Structure formats: C-alpha cells, structure tokens
Amino acid sequence: MHRQHRDDPDGRVRQAWATIHTRGVTGTGLGAGVIVADGFLLTCAHVINAALGRDKMAPTAPTAAEMLRIAASFPCLGSEQHPVELAGWLAPKPCNGQWWDGDLALLRADLRDPALSPVPVRETPGRRLSTWYAHGAPRSLVDVYVQATMGPWYILDPGYAPLEIEPGHSGAPLWDRERGCVTGLVVSTEPDRPRSYAIRASRMVKLLHDAGVLPAAAAAPADARTRARRREMADALDALPDGKLERCAGRVGSALGLSWTPDTGAELVDAALSHPRGVPALLSALTAFEAVALRVREAAAKLGPVRLLTQDEYDDLEDLLGPDPYQEVRAAARRAVPHLSFAHAGQAGIGALVEDLEDRASEPGVVPPLIQVVEEVAASRRDGGDLLREWSQGVATRLGVSPDAMAQCRWSAKSRAAALTAQPVLRVWLWPQPDADAFHYDIRLYDHDAHEEPARTWTDGDALRDRDELCAALSDAVDDLDQYEESTGVEFLLEEGFFHLPVDRLPTRAGSLGTRPIGLDRAVVLRGQNVPRSGARKARWERGRSTVAEPYVVHELRAADGTLSKRSEIACVIACCPPDQRDGTLALCRHLGVPVVLWHRAAHGPDAAEQLRAVVHDDWPHSLREQVRQRRAEALHDSLHMGAHLALLWEDPGWSPPRRRLANPTRREGGAA
C-alpha cells in the first residue's frame, strides 16, 4: 500500500480520512477522524459531544441510542454517511481551562470497502507536519510545526501555509508525510493566539490497546539504506546474552510508554526508531553492554542525528527549566557555545531549541553542547541551579562524559555567571617595607562590567609612602567604591610573610565622624599576589564550598599537612596553631589550594578555636565575610575584643591576580609595575 502512494505523500491518509456528522445533516461536518485499524477510526470526544448537542466537555460516554445520531463519511468514497458505534472513550477532563487527560473517541464502522485503508499511528521525530479541515479537501491543507510536548499533548505553531487551524479541524490527523504515519490528532486551538494543541500518538495507541484493537502496521522503510541500518541495529541486539534482550525491551517499552513489549531485536529497533527519543531510551537500556550500545549508536547515527536525551530526561529538563525559558536558554547557548548558529532566527519553542542543541555532535567523553548550556543556565540561576546540575550530571554519566571534562565545564559556567553578576570590588596591592612603616601600593577599583580593566587607579608613583599617605589614597578609593549600591568589599593583595598585617584596621575618612577602620563598614579580606596551584584551588572551591562542607581546624602544622594532603574537599581552614607555625600553615594552605583561611592574629589554642568556630556558620561560603565584618564592628572601641584581631584569607578563584611579566602591579624581581 505504501508503494502505491510513493508519488503522492498524502495518498495513504486520504484513504483513511473520515468526517463526523450529526446523522442526516449534510455539509462539511463537525470534525474529522482517521481510520487507524481494520473497522475502527479515531476522532475527538468533544466532536461527538458537539454532534449530539451536549456540552463539549461532557465526560460521560454516549449511550448506544445516542450514537445512532452520529454518522461518518469518507471523502474518498463520496458524501454518503455511515453509522458508527462507540468502542472506546477518553473523556476531556478540564483542569485550569485545559484538557489534560485526553479527548478521544474510538468508533467502530463498516469499513470493508477496498478504497479505505488504515494508517499506522506512531510518534516520530518529524516536527513539520500536515493536517486538513474536517472534510479533508486538499485545498484546506495546513502546515503545522510541533513546538513542544506537554504531557499527552503537542503544542502546535502554524507553519508556512496561509491557512490556520480552526475549530473544524478537531479530530484531524497530524500527518508525517516523510514517514507515512499519523503522529497525533488535532484537538483544540486558542482563539486569541496562533497556537493549537494535538493529542500525541502514544495516547492514541494506548486507547486502542485498552479497547483490544490491533493498530495498523507501520509501513516498511521505503529505501534500502534505511532497511540496512535497521538490520545492523537488530544484528547488534542479537549479541545480547540470553534473557537480556527481554529485559532491555521491557525497559525501552516502559520508557516510551508502549502498551506492548517487543519480542525480537527487530521489533525493538522498530519501536526505538518510531519514537523521537527511542534511540536514547534503547542506548540507556544498554549501558551494561558497551560493545552492543556502540554498534547500535553507530548504525542509528547513519540515519541522521541521534537525540541525546531519553523521553524522561527531556520531560525532566522541561520541568526544571520552568515556563518560558526560551530566551534564558538561548542566551546561555550563546555564552557557552558562541560558535553555534541556530536554525530558527525568531522566537521558537524551547523544544526546538533543545533539539537544535542535541543535533550538535561532540566527541566521545567531551561535554555535549546541550549539557554545556544546561550548566550555563544552572550557574546563572540563584534558585534551582543545583537540581539542573544533578540532572546534567546524570545525563553526562549515562553518556560516558569524562568527569574532568564535566568539572571544567561546570567551572567555566560558574566563572562566566560570576562575571555577569560581579559586584564592584576594591583591590589593594600592598608592598610593606620590613623595617619601616612605609609602603608601595597600587589601588584599583573594578566596577560591575569588567574585572579586567579598572575603573580608576591610585598608585604610589614609584616612591615609598608612609601610613598617612596610604590611608589618604585608601579614603579616596573607598569613597568611589561607596558610590555603588552594593559591593564585595576590599581585597588586600599581599606577599606571603605579610598576611599578619592588620590592614582591616587602617583608618579611612568618614566625614564628620573623623576616621573609621576600613574593615568596620566593608568586608575586608586578604589575598596573595601570586597564584600557586590555581587548579587545585579551583577544585577545592568547587567541591568544598557546599553547605555540608565542614571547616577544618588546624592546631599543629605537621598534622595539618597530612590531613590537607589527603582530603581534597577541604576548602575552609581555621588556623589555631602557635604563632611560630602560622606562616607555615598559610603557606601550606596556599600550596595545596585551600581558598579560605580564618585566624586570630593574637591568640591560638582550643579557646581561640572555639571562638573562631562560632564565626563560621553552615552557609560559610555566603556568610563568612559578613560574619567577620560584624565581629570587627563589635570591636570598634575594644582592642581586646576577638574581632579586633580577625584575619581572613579569601582566595576566591573567580578572579586571579595578573601573572608576572605582564602588565600587573607586582613589585617582585622580573615584574613590571
């Protein structure tokens, strides 16, 4: 039958077209239907309700007597009306103004005329489909585009034909010309928007199964190349051990919502290829059989792009992204993979965008572009990012993506997100003289837009400056910083050996109040001027700054060396070791990449550890800098207060000091000021 219509891609559906009438009423009909099995056709339940004069949303199935008032005609036979009986009913159930549970009526009719022929019903990867008005006239053809899926529904956008879907299209089949099958049934259209809905093929097939009706067989592939690829996939499945094919088929059937379980490798391949996300479901079921999965993947790829996501993964992603995420995801795609050009220039559905990203091939072990984009979205969100990261990690694990590649992808996404949301910061490079209260300094104010070029700079002019001159420059810089609504505070970049300096106590002008310590009203932290083992620091920051990461208290340098060398997740250290071990402890932490170290400049031991531990809350990655500032504020007039001597090393890897021998403010030998 398929070969008879090779020159007419719509010939087969014309032989299966039905129009629904109130019996005895002539005209174009109230809706359409389609023959899906020998003696059976499907239409919308609300079309039957309308033909009976009932409320369209009436949930109760019509009685046999009521069905005597319903008739069907078949355009390929003429206008003669034929009686029908109700064989299955899936009532439209309103929920917030939408029909969520279905809207189908299965009708039994005398279809013995050889001019009538059922068409197969199955979901396909095709997104540009065709449908017709109730009477199926060729001139009523409407091109539609499947924008996205929503539960049992397709969301349809008008295609390129001048005609639009109207109420009389209800029950009309969505026809995939290329694959010769019905992939959905038009259900409704929104009166004020160019958007319509269709019930998916999987729901149609389930109703047939529940009614004990055997659907029409799918047409055989039209070309030898497709048949050969299917055979390759089926041959690969034959290599599965005894009993494993049955288990694999069960998993695939469950994932695709099939009402039956494939018995052979060939049936399993047909089921996978007839669903737009069937191949990912099949590959997911073959994770324990890498060699078989590889052969299946290679054969499927020869038929066209293979989707990355299973249907469950795709549905989960839609839920996690939430409503109207198109612009957010598209912007994330431009940041994560800027070399990509998208096929659709205007506003399209999120489904089309996700599939566009899925089509972009990547090497085995490398993070696919789609996962890169999801990580980008996760990094830019204040809420819900962790759930998206869990989703992408699960998909990446199934696809065999390298953990190192995944970690780098996640780090890059978070770095870009930090740059986009960066707050102003004042960075002070300070070179104190060992034996005098004199300094070289370079002060740079970085604004919202870029942390590469400072908005303003204050320097020492290559001459040693005393404490008062340094504080005067700091006061000017702080005045500029305070013009911003929010900021991350002040970072003092010091060489190792000078981290003990109480720079947070440096006085700055406060108008009529005189002077105030710089750390009283702003978060002040220390950083190093060089960046030892930046990779280790980034890894610890990534792994250890979660709310469950406990700080590690150092009482003795030797013990700390062993523990920190073994535990790479430690990102926060409380240094309570003796003063003669403090520089060594800080050097060890920086060498091993520990990004955060808190200590008391004048005390150590168990009592100091207990006080410092109270400063580090469970959410320390977000609260520690402010907690330290509050303790410093409490110590404004009390030099014996713990807050007067707090020091915090905060080596956030979102920004690294410029490297030596570049245009940077380092004063070490070989550098350039």
Side-chain angles (χ1 to χ4, degrees), residues 237 239-251 268 285-286 289:
L237 294 176
L240 289 173
D242 292 342
K244 300 301 181 182
L245 177 63
E246 181 180 356
R247 182 179 300 179
C248 179
R251 291 181 60 186
L268 181 53
L286 292 171
F289 307 98

Side-chain angles (χ1 to χ4, degrees), residues 232-542:
E232 288 179 19
M233 296 172 69
D235 290 344
L237 294 176
D238 288 341
L240 289 173
D242 292 342
K244 300 301 181 182
L245 177 63
E246 181 180 356
R247 182 179 300 179
C248 179
R251 291 181 60 186
V252 172
S254 176
L256 301 183
L258 300 180
S259 58
W260 56 285
T261 301
D263 293 326
T264 65
E267 288 184 357
L268 181 53
V269 169
D270 285 340
L273 291 179
S274 64
H275 191 284
R277 300 196 173 276
V279 173
L282 177 57
L283 294 173
S284 178
L286 292 171
T287 50
F289 307 98
E290 184 175 349
V292 175
L294 179 61
R295 291 175 61 191
V296 170
R297 182 183 293 106
E298 290 177 345
K302 296 174 184 177
L303 294 175
V306 177
R307 295 279 176 257
L308 289 180
L309 307 182
T310 66
Q311 189 64 51
D312 286 343
E313 290 168 345
Y314 178 85
D315 292 341
D316 288 345
L317 179 60
E318 278 197 319
D319 291 339
L320 291 171
L321 290 175
D324 302 321
Y326 177 83
Q327 293 298 344
E328 179 188 23
V329 176
R330 189 178 177 93
R334 294 197 177 281
R335 293 194 301 270
V337 278
H339 60 283
L340 293 183
S341 58
F342 298 101
H344 36 84
Q347 173 87 12
I350 186 62
L353 183 52
V354 168
E355 291 177 1
D356 200 352
L357 291 165
E358 283 184 286
D359 288 344
R360 314 295 171 146
S362 62
E363 295 297 322
V366 176
V367 182
L370 175 62
I371 304 300
Q372 294 181 43
V373 173
V374 171
E375 286 290 333
E376 198 78 20
V377 173
S380 64
R381 288 188 175 183
R382 291 190 175 183
D383 299 314
D386 289 340
L387 294 176
L388 278 171
R389 277 186 282 271
E390 288 179 13
W391 178 92
S392 66
Q393 187 62 59
V395 175
T397 300
R398 177 179 68 78
L399 295 175
V401 176
S402 161
D404 290 340
M406 196 66 189
Q408 180 61 46
C409 168
R410 188 162 291 171
W411 164 251
S412 298
K414 289 186 175 181
S415 296
R416 280 189 290 269
L420 288 173
T421 60
Q423 295 176 337
V425 61
L426 191 67
R427 295 193 169 108
V428 183
W429 281 263
L430 197 59
W431 297 270
Q433 302 304 300
D435 301 323
D437 195 13
F439 308 87
H440 283 296
Y441 61 80
D442 195 303
I443 303 173
R444 298 184 177 189
L445 174 63
Y446 294 86
D447 62 18
H448 286 280
D449 298 325
H451 282 190
E452 296 299 327
E453 294 296 331
R456 191 177 174 192
T457 300
W458 297 258
T459 64
D460 53 38
D462 290 333
L464 278 174
R465 304 293 178 175
D466 61 23
R467 180 186 176 91
D468 291 340
E469 290 174 303
L470 168 64
C471 292
L474 266 179
S475 296
D476 287 342
V478 165
D479 284 343
D480 278 15
L481 179 67
D482 289 345
Q483 300 305 310
Y484 294 96
E485 207 171 292
E486 291 182 88
S487 77
T488 57
V490 184
E491 298 178 354
F492 281 87
L493 285 89
L494 297 160
E495 293 184 350
E496 288 189 16
F498 291 97
F499 291 140
H500 63 279
L501 290 177
V503 292
D504 53 277
R505 309 290 290 179
L506 289 173
T508 54
R509 291 190 303 265
S512 60
L513 296 178
T515 61
R516 287 164 71 86
I518 191 172
L520 181 63
D521 304 312
R522 304 159 198 86
V524 172
V525 299
L526 305 176
R527 302 194 68 167
Q529 292 185 6
N530 62 340
V531 189
R533 301 189 68 186
S534 59
R537 179 162 55 97
K538 292 176 182 179
R540 282 187 185 267
W541 181 267
E542 175 69 26

